[in-house]
Amino acid sequence: METGPAIFAGVVFALFGSGLLVWTAARLRQREPVAHGVNPVASAALASLAAVAALAVGAWCFTRI
């Protein structure tokens, strides 16, 4: 992978993952639903899993520099 696209993709995935993780934590702290009409535990777990996966992909992109 070339340096420029790897940095761009890494930053995008890292920002998305961290933003989703912070948003999910804020919703859980306020006892608000993460997704309306869905089981609260399942939606929080799925959102957290997606956030961690995005952070992992971002870290992987940074290792390709």
Side-chain angles (χ1 to χ4, degrees):
M1 192 179 263
E2 295 180 19
T3 303
I7 293 171
F8 178 75
V11 168
V12 168
F13 278 114
L15 285 175
F16 175 74
S18 61
L20 182 60
L21 200 59
V22 167
W23 179 80
T24 303
R27 297 293 285 182
L28 290 174
R29 186 177 306 143
Q30 297 172 353
R31 306 236 187 257
E32 296 284 334
V34 176
H36 292 288
V38 183
N39 183 355
V41 175
S43 63
L46 186 60
S48 299
L49 182 66
V52 170
L55 287 171
V57 172
W60 178 79
C61 287
F62 286 134
T63 64
R64 299 292 164 199
I65 295 176

